[in-house]
Every structure is written in structure tokens, then in C-alpha cells.
Amino acid sequence: MRIVIIGAVAGGASAAARARRLSEEAEIILVERGEAPSFANCGLPYYIGGVIEQRDKLLVAPAQRLIERYRLDVRTRTEALAIDRANHTVRLRYLENCDEYDQPYDKLILSPGAAPIRPPVPGVDLPQVYTLRELRDADRLHAAAKHAQRAVVIGGGFIGLEMAENLVHRGIATTVVELANQILPPWDAEMVSPVADHLRERGVTLKLSNAAAAIEPAGDGVIVRLRSGESLDADMVVLSVGVRPDNKLAVEAGLAVGPRGGIRVNDQMQTADPDIYAVGDAIETHSSLDGSPTQIPLAGPANRQGRIAADNIFGRPTHYAGTQGTAIVGVFEMAAALTGFSEKALKAAGTPYEKVYVHPANHAGYYPGAKQMSMKLLFAPDGGRLLGAQAVGRSGVDKRIDVLAVAIKAGMSVFDLEELELAYAPQFGSAKDPVNMAGFVAAGVVRGDQPVAHWDDLPQLAAEDGQSEGLGRPEGLGPPELVLDVRMASEFAAGSIPGAVNIPVDELRSRLGELDPARPIIAYCQVGMRGYLATRILLQYGFNVRNLSGGYTTYKQTMAAKGA
Amino acid sequence: MRIVIIGAVAGGASAAARARRLSEEAEIILVERGEAPSFANCGLPYYIGGVIEQRDKLLVAPAQRLIERYRLDVRTRTEALAIDRANHTVRLRYLENCDEYDQPYDKLILSPGAAPIRPPVPGVDLPQVYTLRELRDADRLHAAAKHAQRAVVIGGGFIGLEMAENLVHRGIATTVVELANQILPPWDAEMVSPVADHLRERGVTLKLSNAAAAIEPAGDGVIVRLRSGESLDADMVVLSVGVRPDNKLAVEAGLAVGPRGGIRVNDQMQTADPDIYAVGDAIETHSSLDGSPTQIPLAGPANRQGRIAADNIFGRPTHYAGTQGTAIVGVFEMAAALTGFSEKALKAAGTPYEKVYVHPANHAGYYPGAKQMSMKLLFAPDGGRLLGAQAVGRSGVDKRIDVLAVAIKAGMSVFDLEELELAYAPQFGSAKDPVNMAGFVAAGVVRGDQPVAHWDDLPQLAAEDGQSEGLGRPEGLGPPELVLDVRMASEFAAGSIPGAVNIPVDELRSRLGELDPARPIIAYCQVGMRGYLATRILLQYGFNVRNLSGGYTTYKQTMAAKGA
Ligand SMILES: Cc1cc2nc3c(=O)[nH]c(=O)nc-3n(C[C@H](O)[C@H](O)[C@H](O)COP(=O)(O)OP(=O)(O)OC[C@H]3O[C@@H](n4cnc5c(N)ncnc54)[C@H](O)[C@@H]3O)c2cc1C
Ligand SMILES: Cc1cc2nc3c(=O)[nH]c(=O)nc-3n(C[C@H](O)[C@H](O)[C@H](O)COP(=O)(O)OP(=O)(O)OC[C@H]3O[C@@H](n4cnc5c(N)ncnc54)[C@H](O)[C@@H]3O)c2cc1C
Ligand SMILES: CC(C)(COP(=O)(O)OP(=O)(O)OC[C@H]1O[C@@H](n2cnc3c(N)ncnc32)[C@H](O)[C@@H]1OP(=O)(O)O)[C@@H](O)C(=O)NCCC(=O)NCCS
Ligand SMILES: CC(C)(COP(=O)(O)OP(=O)(O)OC[C@H]1O[C@@H](n2cnc3c(N)ncnc32)[C@H](O)[C@@H]1OP(=O)(O)O)[C@@H](O)C(=O)NCCC(=O)NCCS
């Protein structure tokens, strides 16, 4: 058995290593255009920023080890030019001397990854404009960062923000330009507005709802002209507006690709040609939640898909269960993570959903160092099945999203979250962990104990932005809701929702007479807990009331996101 | 509806708060012997150690808040003396003036917790001997720690170790005496031997397989005489040898208790008397894994059970799904966590199981600050259903155990772990997360790709300690296994398993001739990865070979545990 693998990093190297473990006999040829196989793509920004000091740390499995330990035929600086399916060969070029030859294969695995998108902006090919994919790119950026004083990062996705952080580490004044009206587009806008604030605190300038219209040379540097009319001086520009599957070999070989360019494979990672497999960033896969086609250019899926391709080549019918879009990004001291569907994805798909927000501390509040996080849970209004989750904060975010990722994978509902038995000691969590807490709140919503409202239900804002999907949304249109702030007077004074009336929850029972029983109420507090209690009290006294989920904290995060 | 709740902390206060949210009308009487309701039991050691500086941080929900916000009738310094089931009253005594009265109830919730066990050791009642349960105990210990220079902690369970850490924080020379031959008895010994080492590094003296035989006054302090004949001078002694359900009220009222004293309840937290509920440390509950009766004195279960009791009182048929024993303890810079069954529990129950060990880093190795952890996975040899997991390390331990706790709750197998899609960026994990990795390894074992051996299969040790449950254990007795160290010569030279022969994995293919094909082999490396590759190579060349799970690292941890 002769296996040729194109691309020797996350998917390719994993496939090769697994193939060797499955077969001592196979001939395994690992073809890589770059200088080194098996490098840490995900570490490149941190090498540029000096967080990872030694370049050789990036070489996860050096070629020599793959050769000696895995007896792989590692061909670096070798580019695959074309596949000849009929003859089972792939045309390779050794880049050092441009020698070309046809390499026969029995099975071919494509793991060429994805290429940074280069938007058709004038000046995008100037030498001061960089993208980041390979070691060589990292070397260039590392060198450029030595002398640069001002940088512009085009694209506020996860690679863009990692670059911004690392440029700041190098003392470079950095501006991020993002087309969307938010950073980190896979997340819902209100969840990441605290990350945007944090970037600004750390000195990064954000230009949202904006884009580079042209990049022009200016002395040693460039001027980036924005659509808004502004221009930014920069010594270097980093393009990070997304990636596109590197599907050239596949397309030219007549293999099908999806609408966004991902190579089509079945759940055994096999393309339409049974002798050609494809994995990683280059493919279209499917959502493990609803089976819909999706492209998730992340390392975990690439690694596992590589392993599955090797399995199938050796007759083990391993199936890829699909991708649920679990991801995390660190941005200075903060982290943002998500799993499953976002609200915008659910909206776009027309899937019915409800949501709740909670803002628990990462661990017991009485133990020093507790940090508040924000969590959002998306679930089926009917039955409470989990659809997605997002978390943002300074600590413990990764844990909660991983827990929720498993819960989603297991097909759990919000009721199951109430019961999860998670590890508690004061340094690590709470007796009611944030995940339990989110479960309690969501379960209360599904059970009807806690009708919730969202920002777009607020009378001042509802007019502008249409209907909410709120479960408790009253039929028809009655009088506009009373917005009832149940926090302490001092909290109310320090900032509140326009038009709100303040009755602290502790006084509510004795001041019920001040409320018009005919008028629906939206209650709120700082994070939702007192608002919930107020809602329970008022419901029992016959009021039509909903709790503003996430309280003033979510409201402010949402307004910040909208104002951006 | 008049509800009387005995015990106003984790279970009781949670039941009370939930009851109020469910009913504005109910009369809710919260009876607490101590000075304050709703305090942070779990924070007490850290208050004693000065980590939590302000005492009022321990008052999670001060009485005033429970009164104003939840309209609870909070009766502190009030002890419940007896239950009169026929008359639906409970006899209460106000401890300030010893007034007694019969308090009628419609529903009674018992949440009296558990009392520290006081072993029948002479001198156990001396004033220098402390236990830790209530605020008052913490105050006493806080005061005693001011002047103490030497302390003895009797009992190396989680409260004992938290006390040891905090006494060290106060500059006190501390010795922990533990009857078992390991600290943290719920864990398997080899998993916590690194924690024992860490305690010793931080200056704590451990006396394992030992016990206090007598405590004698000596000047202002005491002498603790150990069974071993040694004696220890101490200014203070902390007794932490476990807790016993505080079941006096229940027993005297004729309610059934289990063999270990836990009040018997159904899964709606109801005792044999339908008007009396019991929750928390005081009860016997059941394992969510196999339904067997169990007692788990932890805060998460107590909080959730309190909520469930309130639900059921108000006609919501919420059921407690049982307890899976998820727990964590921080010990200086380390943490030890577990969920599900331990190996010793499986052994005791006669449940068939297999196990694997892995020692992955908490996050990508190329990103600064990665710390190695140790994980143990227990699973059904047939089908791979997860039975239990343990993790020990400096960072990321809580996350992995929580992920595994959900996986166990969901009834997942080791094959499901291979597929979990967890959040990866270099600061938080690896593209193949430790949990995936443990899943790969265990799945390989169940599939037969990776026959494993354990320390007690090693020829020198097997004789002493009987048979292993290893899946790959050869039938009958052939020649003694060759123990093959596949690490580099330098690693081998720095320490190896007695009798082992060294052939580095990278040379193995070319040195096969040195191996006797008739002799079974146990291969090992530092953590198990190279041993696994060696196993794959040798299997394919027809050798009878197993990989020593966890490699030399687990071997050393096991030997350390046995030698202790
Ligand atoms: C800066 C950066 C940060 C990232 N951070 C994260 C993160 O934190 N978490 C995460 O999950 N993911 C992250 N990723 C994404 C992750 O690296 C990819 O999802 C993963 O590497 C994809 O694996 P792959 O095997 O499909 O492609 P790659 O790992 O990109 O490997 C493809 C290889 O194929 C080679 N190649 C392509 N075409 C040819 C050809 N014709 N001939 C020969 N060789 C060829 C390329 O040179 C390349 O080395 C990051 C990516 C980048 C660039
Ligand atoms: C030092 C310490 C550290 C801990 N650390 C952790 C940890 O890190 N993680 C974890 O999960 N768990 C921890 N626990 C355990 C956790 O605190 C308990 O599991 C939990 O509090 C049990 O709740 P409960 O309601 O059953 O009992 P408790 O919270 O103990 O409350 C019982 C209350 O009932 C009162 N009472 C008893 N009898 C009567 C009576 N007759 N009349 C009136 N009042 C009465 C008592 O005074 C007591 O205040 C720790 C416990 C201690 C002591
Ligand atoms: C403090 C104490 C009285 C609180 O009890 P509680 O009100 O039931 O619990 P919490 O304060 O955690 O709040 C949980 C409730 O708020 C709701 N909630 C939480 N966050 C919310 C939000 N953002 N929006 C809406 N509702 C929210 C939950 O749904 C839940 O209500 P439910 O049970 O009706 O569904 C009790 O937990 C206690 O005494 N704890 C200290 C003692 C202890 O646990 N010791 C051991 C550990 S140290
Ligand atoms: C380094 C690389 C070649 C390794 O591939 P790999 O050998 O499949 O993966 P790992 O080194 O993680 O090892 C996993 C294997 O070791 C086994 N293993 C791990 N720990 C073990 C242990 N303690 N005992 C026994 N076996 C163990 C696993 O079971 C698995 O084998 P399997 O797939 O046959 O079940 C590949 O992952 C790579 O190139 N990575 C860098 C590039 C990259 O991923 N970039 C994106 C992220 S920055």
C-alpha cells in the first residue's frame, strides 16, 4: 500500500502518524510545500509577539523525528501540482530545483489547508501587507514587527485579534479594521462587546463596520484608506479576513466542492474518488447538530479527520460525526468561546429558539480572585434541547464551553444541565456551577416559571427592531410595558434603562400598590437574579411580567454592541 | 403551607430560597443552631489560613437578606430537639435563653448536615483538639493558629489537606497523620502520590498508615502518640477523619437510616414520612451509575437536593438522579479531582473494568507555561463504557474532570471521547485535548490495537501482587515477560524499571533481531506514547507485546504510593 499525503501539518501529519501505527508495511509519502512538516500554526501569532521565544518550539514534530520514528518519506519544499486520477499519480515539484516527477499512489490524502483570503483591494500586494499561514509568513512578520511602530490588522476574526494582541506585545500601535459591526463574527455581537472594550483598554483601536478601500505606499510604510474616508498610517498591514479552502488540486482533478469551496467528502473522509481522501481546512463537512454542510477551519477537527482517513484506508470503518463549531480565542486577559449554533445562525436558519444570559463568577465569590463571566445559552423553546452556548470572561470560560460542548454532543437539554454534577471546591467553581446556573435559568424559562424578555422587547427599542422570539411574549399589543428596575436605589442612580422605574426587590412586596395591574411589566436587575425573584413575586400577585434576561449587564453589552 | 427547615446552610437555605420563589404564600421557617445561616463551609479552611481575609465574606447570604428578600422566618441560635410526627410539630430551643417550644409544620425539611467523626482516642476532648464544621469552629481555629507553631492534622482527606495547606500559610509546622496508606482515600493511591510529594515539598510531614493512639497534655500543647510509637509535639490538633450524618432527629423520630447512618429518602428527597424531607450530608442517596446506596457529603448535591425537596413540596415531581461522586480538592499549587467509580471501588464491587493512564500537558506544549497532568480512565473492557476518571496536576484538572463527569452522566463510552469537540487555542488545550487523548488510548485498548499492561503485570511484581485485569493478559503462564524500555539511552540511564532492557523506539525496527519472538514483551516509555508505537511495531512483527500504561511516570507514581 502506497499512501501519498499532500500537506504535512494538522490533518496530514496526523493521518501519516496514524497510518504508520496501523501498518508497518505501508509506504507513506508526506508531501509539504513549506520548509517543515508538523508545525504549530496556532502558535505563529505568539511567536511573532515574542510570547513563544524560540522558533523551534513551533516545530511540533521535526522532520527527523517523523522519519526515524514513523518511517515516513517526508518530502518538504515539494509542491503537488496536479492529480492524475486515471493513472493514480500526483505530479510533484521539488521547489529547490524545480524538478518535477509523477508520484504513483494507491491512496491519496489531501490536507492542503486553507489560504488566507486576499480581498480585491488596491495595494493588497504591497510588500508591507502580510498574511499569516505558514512558518515563512511568521518569519516575515516577526522581522517586520521589529521595526514597525504602527500596524493595521484588516479583519477582526480570531487570527486578526491574536495578531493585534501580539503586535501590542511588541509595542506596536495597532488598529483593527472589521467589516462587520462586531469583532469575532462567529459569536453574537453582544457577547463579544466586552472583548472589544478590553482590546480598547489595552490600546488597540477598533474600526468596526469599516473596511480597507485601498492601501497606498507612503515612504517606507503605507496609508490604509478606509471606506469611511479615514486613513491610517502603518508600517505594516496584516490581512486576516478569513480563509478559503485550498481546493485547487481537487477542483482541477474534477472532485466536487461545495458552494464555499470545501472539498466534498463522505463521513469516511472520502471524496467522490474512492482512492482520494480529503481532510482539514480544505473540506466541507457537516454539522453534527443538524447535518447541514459547514466549513470549520480548526485544528481539532483537522487532526481527528486525518486520523479517520487513515483508519478508513486500512479498512476500519470509522465515521466522522460532524462538527459542532466549538472554538475559543484568547484576547489579552480575556477569552471568548462558543459551541453549537449562535443566535444569528439560528435566526438565519429559521430554527425556533429561546435564549438566556447569566453572569456568574468563575468560582466561589468568597474565595479571592473570582471573576465574572458572561454566558449565553440557546435552546429549543419546546423541550429545552441545547442548541448552542457562548461564554466570555477572564477565567473558567474554556471549562464551561467544554462542558457545554459535551452536553450538546450528548443531545442534552437545559433540564440535564440542572443536574450535572461538576467538581466543586472554592478555587474552581461554585456549588451551583455556572453551567448548572445557566441550566436552572433556562429550565425555568422552558417550564414557564421565568418568562423572559430581551432587549428588543423593551418598549423603546421594540419599535425599532421588530419582535422578539421571547417565549413569554404576550399576544397582541397591550399598553407599552413598564420597565421595572428592582436594584437598589444607588445602582439605579448609577445608570439604568431609559424610562425605567425603580422599586428595589426587597421593597417590592410592600409597594405593589404602586404598580398598575393592567400594565405588563419587564423587570430587571444587574444580572437577572433579583429580576427573576421580582418576576416570581409579581407573577404570583397576578401581574403580567417578564424578567429581562441577563439584566442591566446584558443590556449594556447589547447597547455597546449596537452602538459600535 | 407552613414549611419548617432544620439546618440553614447548603441544603436548607437552598430549599428555603427555592420554596419562596415557588410560593409567596408559604410560611417558611429556617431553623439554625449556629449564629448565621447560609455560610461558606467550604471557605472555612481558607479563612483560617488567611487566604480569605474578611470573615464576613463567609456569610454568603446574611440573615438580613434572607429575611428581607426571601421573607424567611430565620431562627438562628435555635436548635431542633425532637420531631413529633403524629402532631406535626418540632421541638425547638432558643439557645440564648433555653426557651423551648413546639413549632407546628405541614412539611419538614431536614438538612442538618454531618458531624465530624471523633475517634475514640484518649485525649480527643482536650481543648487543643479541634474539629471544623461551623463558623464557631473556624473562629477557634483562626485564633489558635495565631499562636501555634506546630500542628498535627489527623486525617488526610480533603478537609485535612485543606487545613494542612492553610496552617502552612500561617507559618505553622504541620504533620498529617492518615490511617490509610495514602492521602485522599477516595482517589486511587497511585494518582495522588504526586500530591503527597507536593505536600512534602511544601513542608508538610506525612505519616501514612499510621494513626493517633493517644493525645496527652504537655505544657500549653499536647503530645500526639502515634500507633507507630512515634510522638509528635503540637500546639494544636485538627481532627478530620471524616463525617457522619447528623441523623439524631431522624432516628429518634423513627425514620429509617442506612448502614452508614444516612437518612433514607426516595428520589424526591422524601423520607418514609411523606411530610418529612431530608437532604444534604445527612442522607443516604444512590449512585447515578449503578443505583447502589451511597453517601456523598458535598455541597453541590446538597444544594440541588434542597431545591428538589422544595419542588416536590409544591407538587412538582422533580427527581434526584443520584450522585456520581464528582469531587475536587486544591492542595497548594496542585489539584486532584475525580468522578464516577475509583478503581478500588470497582474492585470491591467486583465490576469488570480496564484502565489507562495518560500524562498530557494542560495546554499546547509550545505555548509557555504548559504543565503536565496525570489522568486515569476506568471503563468497561467490553464496549468501553466510562466508569470513572481521575486527574491530578497543576492546571486544567478541573476542566477535564468536569468534561468527563458530563460524559459519564451521558453514558458515553471511550469511543465517544475520541470524538468530543473541545475548545482549542494554545493557552487552553491541545488540538487533541487530554480528554480526546485518553479516549484514543482507551479506545485502542478496547479495540485490541493497544494491549496494555499495568505495574502488577511486571514479572518482578506480578508474583507479589497477583493477577492484573489487563485485557491483553495472556492465558496461562509462559516465560516471564521481557520488560523493554523504548526510551532514549539517556532516559534509561536516569532511572528505569529493574530488569528492563533498553532499545530506543527509533532503533527498534532495525534491532528486532535482538528480541526472542517466543518471549512476551511489556514495552514502556516515559508516559506511554512511544511504548504504544513500539507495541504497534512489535505486534505487526508477530510479537506478543503489551504497553505499560502510563509508562515510567505511572510506574514511579505507583511505586511511590506503595512505598509510602
Ligand atoms: C495563525 C493561525 C492561528 C490558528 N489558531 C488556531 C487555534 O487557536 N485553534 C484552532 O483550532 N485552529 C487554529 N488555526 C487553524 C488550524 O491551524 C487549522 O485548522 C489546521 O492547521 C488545519 O489543518 P490542515 O491539515 O487542514 O491544514 P494545515 O495545517 O494548514 O496544513 C496544510 C499544509 O499543506 C501544505 N500544502 C498546501 N497545498 C500544497 C500543495 N499543493 N503541495 C504541497 N503542500 C501543500 C501547506 O503548505 C500547509 O503546510 C490557526 C491557523 C492559523 C494560520
Ligand atoms: C471545612 C469544610 C470544607 C468543605 N469543602 C467543600 C468543598 O470544597 N466542596 C464541596 O463540595 N463540599 C465541601 N464541604 C462540604 C459541604 O460544606 C457540605 O457538603 C454541605 O454544606 C452540606 O450541606 P447540608 O445542608 O447538608 O449541611 P450543612 O451545610 O453542614 O448545614 C447543616 C446546618 O444544620 C445545622 N443543624 C444541625 N442540626 C441542627 C439542629 N438539630 N437544629 C438546628 N440546626 C441544626 C448546623 O448547625 C449546620 O449549620 C466542606 C465542608 C467543610 C466542613
Ligand atoms: C445563598 C443561598 C441561600 C442561595 O440559594 P438560591 O437562591 O437557591 O441559589 P442562588 O443564589 O445560587 O440562585 C439560584 C437561583 O437564581 C436563579 N438565577 C441565577 N442566576 C440568574 C440569572 N442571571 N437570571 C435569572 N435567574 C437567575 C436560578 O434559576 C435559581 O433559581 P431557581 O432555583 O428557582 O431556578 C444558598 O445557596 C446558600 O445558603 N449557600 C451557601 C451555603 C453553601 O452552599 N455552602 C456550601 C458551599 S460553600
Ligand atoms: C505531531 C503529529 C504528527 C502527531 O500526530 P499523532 O501521533 O497522531 O498524534 P499525537 O502525538 O497527539 O499522539 C496520539 C497518538 O498517541 C497515542 N497516545 C497518546 N498518549 C498515549 C499514552 N500515554 N499511552 C499510549 N498511547 C498514547 C494515542 O492513542 C494516539 O494514537 P492513535 O491515534 O493510534 O490512537 C500531528 O498531530 C501534528 O503534526 N501536529 C502539529 C500540527 C497541528 O496540529 N497544528 C494545528 C494545531 S497548532
Side-chain angles (χ1 to χ4, degrees), chain A residues 165-445:
Chain A
E165 170 178 344
N166 280 290
L167 293 170
V168 169
H169 289 326
R170 295 286 292 261
I172 299 170
T174 303
T175 301
V176 175
V177 181
E178 166 60 51
L179 187 62
N181 60 357
Q182 65 168 91
I183 54 165
L184 294 173
W187 281 255
D188 292 320
E190 77 285 7
M191 289 304 292
V192 289
S193 69
V195 181
D197 291 341
H198 184 55
L199 280 160
R200 291 188 192 102
E201 272 164 34
R202 298 300 303 260
V204 176
T205 305
L206 297 183
K207 303 277 178 195
L208 303 181
S209 307
N210 213 332
I215 305 171
E216 294 164 9
D220 285 348
V222 294
I223 294 179
V224 181
R225 305 224 178 263
L226 302 186
R227 279 203 202 156
S228 60
E230 287 168 278
S231 11
L232 305 167
D233 294 325
D235 304 312
M236 61 192 287
V237 174
V238 183
L239 268 185
S240 53
V241 298
V243 296
R244 183 177 289 139
D246 201 332
N247 61 16
K248 184 168 165 290
L249 285 173
V251 168
E252 290 177 3
L255 299 170
V257 300
R260 291 168 56 210
I263 304 170
R264 287 233 158 104
V265 293
N266 63 19
D267 65 1
Q268 294 171 275
M269 314 318 299
Q270 216 166 17
T271 65
D273 182 331
D275 292 328
I276 306 183
Y277 292 75
V279 302
D281 287 2
I283 68 162
E284 177 184 280
T285 175
H286 63 281
S287 157
S288 59
L289 289 117
D290 68 359
S292 60
T294 182
Q295 284 174 207
I296 303 278
L298 290 175
N303 270 271
R304 285 198 304 286
Q305 291 160 4
R307 190 168 178 265
I308 291 172
D311 272 8
N312 281 291
I313 285 174
F314 291 100
R316 292 160 177 250
T318 318
H319 297 263
Y320 186 63
T323 302
Q324 69 189 64
T326 308
I328 189 165
V329 59
V331 182
F332 294 101
E333 279 74 59
M334 289 191 83
L338 87 172
T339 185
F341 292 117
S342 64
E343 181 173 2
K344 61 182 119 180
L346 291 167
K347 240 183 202 149
T351 310
Y353 69 92
E354 184 49 280
K355 61 179 171 177
V356 297
Y357 298 90
V358 293
H359 303 279
N362 65 322
H363 65 56
Y366 61 79
Y367 191 86
K371 300 265 185 278
Q372 193 179 38
M373 67 174 92
S374 296
M375 285 174 64
K376 177 179 186 173
L377 216 59
L378 294 146
F379 50 93
D382 198 3
R385 188 166 198 263
L386 287 172
L387 300 172
Q390 295 170 46
V392 171
R394 288 177 183 245
S395 189
V397 159
D398 56 330
K399 175 162 80 171
R400 273 58 186 220
I401 284 300
D402 277 358
V403 163
L404 287 161
V406 185
I408 288 179
K409 173 89 182 175
M412 286 185 174
S413 72
V414 299
F415 305 112
D416 294 309
L417 299 187
E418 296 183 276
E419 289 183 10
L420 290 182
E421 191 178 319
L422 303 171
Y424 165 58
Q427 308 92 320
F428 305 102
S430 288
K432 293 162 185 143
D433 189 84
V435 175
N436 297 126
M437 204 59 104
F440 292 151
V441 178
V445 172

Side-chain angles (χ1 to χ4, degrees), chain A residues 357-359 366 418 424 431-432 437 440-441 444 450 527-529 532 547 549-550, chain B residues 8-11 13-15 17-18 21 37-43 60-61 66 70 299 303 307:
Chain A
Y357 298 90
V358 293
H359 303 279
Y366 61 79
E418 296 183 276
Y424 165 58
K432 293 162 185 143
M437 204 59 104
F440 292 151
V441 178
Q450 179 169 180
V527 295
M529 285 184 79
Y532 167 47
N547 183 27
S549 190
Chain B
V9 191
S14 294
R18 175 71 172 168
R21 289 190 290 270
S38 183
F39 66 90
N41 332 49
C42 321
V60 178
L66 295 177
Y70 288 95
N303 270 271
R307 191 168 178 265

Side-chain angles (χ1 to χ4, degrees), chain B residues 243-458:
Chain B
V243 296
R244 184 177 287 139
D246 201 334
N247 61 15
K248 186 168 164 289
L249 286 173
V251 168
E252 289 179 2
L255 298 170
V257 299
R260 289 168 56 213
I263 304 170
R264 287 233 157 104
V265 293
N266 63 18
D267 66 0
Q268 294 171 277
M269 313 320 298
Q270 216 166 15
T271 66
D273 182 330
D275 291 329
I276 305 182
Y277 293 74
V279 302
D281 287 2
I283 68 162
E284 177 184 280
T285 175
H286 64 281
S287 157
S288 60
L289 289 117
D290 68 358
S292 61
T294 182
Q295 285 175 206
I296 302 278
L298 290 175
N303 270 271
R304 286 200 303 287
Q305 291 161 3
R307 191 168 178 265
I308 290 173
D311 273 9
N312 280 291
I313 286 174
F314 291 101
R316 293 161 175 249
T318 319
H319 297 263
Y320 186 62
T323 303
Q324 68 189 64
T326 308
I328 189 165
V329 59
V331 181
F332 294 103
E333 279 74 59
M334 291 191 81
L338 87 172
T339 186
F341 292 117
S342 64
E343 182 173 1
K344 61 183 121 180
L346 292 166
K347 240 183 202 150
T351 310
Y353 69 91
E354 184 49 279
K355 62 178 172 180
V356 296
Y357 298 89
V358 293
H359 303 278
N362 66 321
H363 65 56
Y366 61 80
Y367 191 86
K371 300 263 184 283
Q372 194 179 39
M373 67 174 94
S374 296
M375 283 174 64
K376 176 178 186 174
L377 217 58
L378 294 146
F379 50 93
D382 198 3
R385 187 167 199 263
L386 288 171
L387 300 172
Q390 295 170 47
V392 171
R394 289 178 182 245
S395 189
V397 159
D398 56 332
K399 174 162 80 171
R400 274 55 185 222
I401 284 298
D402 277 359
V403 163
L404 287 161
V406 185
I408 288 179
K409 174 88 184 179
M412 286 184 173
S413 72
V414 299
F415 305 111
D416 294 308
L417 299 188
E418 295 184 278
E419 291 183 10
L420 290 183
E421 191 179 319
L422 303 171
Y424 165 58
Q427 309 92 320
F428 305 102
S430 288
K432 293 162 185 144
D433 188 84
V435 174
N436 299 127
M437 205 58 105
F440 292 150
V441 178
V445 171
V446 177
R447 290 191 188 106
D449 291 335
Q450 179 170 179
V452 276
H454 302 297
W455 68 272
D456 48 356
D457 296 315
L458 291 168

Side-chain angles (χ1 to χ4, degrees), chain A residues 24 316 449 509 540, chain B residues 24 316 449 509 536 540:
Chain A
E24 273 297 300
R316 292 160 177 250
D449 291 335
R509 292 178 183 96
Q540 294 184 55
Chain B
E24 273 296 301
R316 293 161 175 249
D449 291 335
R509 292 179 182 93
R536 292 299 307 157
Q540 294 183 56

